[in-house]
Amino acid sequence: MWQRLLSVPMLVYAALAGSAARGDAPQERERMVDDQIAARGVRDARVLAAMRRVPRHEFVPQEARDAAYRDHPLPIGHGQTISQPYIVAVMSELARVEPGDRVLEVGTGSGYQAAVLAELGAEVYSIELVPELAARAAATLERLGYSAVHARAGDGYRGWPERAPFRVIVVTAAPPTVPPRLLDQLAVGGRLVIPVGDALQELQVHTRGEDGVTVESIFPVRFVPMLRGSDADPVPEAPDPQ
Ligand code: SAH
C-alpha cells in the first residue's frame, strides 16, 4: 500500500517534468491565447481555436522551447525570427481565410504561420528565401501532419505564378513597397496582408475588387526586411518563364 501512495506523486512529478522539458504544456498555449491575443481584441473564434491547436513549441529551436509561448518573436537561425503570437493572430484574422481557400504565404520561416493558416482550412503555398529554413520548415510541417502546406525555397517577389490566383496572400517580411507580382496574383475579392516600409513599417490589407485595389492601414509593425533574391537570379519583368 505505501508503495502505491508513493507512486502517485512520483507519477505526477514525472508528467510535469516531462511536459515542462518539452515546453508543450497545453495550458501555456491556452494562456497565450487568452492573455496575449483575445485580451488584445482578436475576436475571430476560428483564429483563436487555430492558435490553441498549433504546437508553437515544435516550430522553435530546441534551446528556445521554454520561451515558445511568450509574448515576443524568437530567433530561428539565419538572422530570422518566428513572429510574436499576437501578430500571427492579427494577420490570420485580417486574412479572413475560408476553408478551401488557396493561400500564398511569403516568408515561411519556421512554418508556424503556415500551420495556423492550414488549421483555418486553407491550402497553403509558402515560399522561403533561405533554403535551410525552407527545408527545416517543410520537415516540421510534414512531421506534424500539415499536408495542406506546400513549401518551397525561392524568392517571394515572384510569388507562385503556377498556383495563382490566390484568395489570400500573407507576407511575413517587409518589402519597401508592395511587390507588383503579388498584387497580380491576387484573385478578385482576394486580400493581401502585408507589412510595408523600411525603418517605419505599417501593416496593410490590399483588397482586389472588380474595379481595382483598395488599401487599408492597420497599425505600425516591425518585421524583418523582405530581401531580394541573388543578382544571378533576377526577377524578370516579362511574364514569368517558370
Ligand atoms: N512566417 C514566419 C516568420 C518569418 S520571418 C513564421 O511563422 O515563422 C520572415 C521570413 O521571410 C524569414 O524567414 C526570411 O528568410 C524570409 N524572407 C525574406 N525575404 C524573402 C523573400 N524575398 N522571399 C521569401 N522569403 C523571404
Side-chain angles (χ1 to χ4, degrees), residues 6 21 24 33 54 76 80 84 86 92-93 99 133 159 167 176 194 234:
L6 267 184
D24 67 349
V33 172
V54 180
I76 55 171
Q80 304 303 328
Q84 178 190 20
Y86 170 65
S92 303
E93 184 173 57
L133 290 177
R167 286 286 303 172
I194 183 168

Side-chain angles (χ1 to χ4, degrees), residues 80-81 105 107-110 113 128-130 155-156 172 224 226-227:
Q80 304 303 328
T81 54
E105 184 199 20
T108 317
S110 68
Q113 171 79 75
E128 168 56 51
L129 190 64
V130 179
D155 184 354
T172 64
V224 295
M226 184 167 164
L227 304 170

Side-chain angles (χ1 to χ4, degrees), residues 50-71:
M51 302 287 298
R52 285 197 174 95
R53 276 196 297 271
V54 180
R56 183 173 163 93
H57 62 279
E58 298 279 0
F59 293 86
V60 306
Q62 194 71 42
E63 61 277 11
R65 288 204 167 181
D66 282 353
Y69 294 99
R70 295 204 191 135
D71 193 14

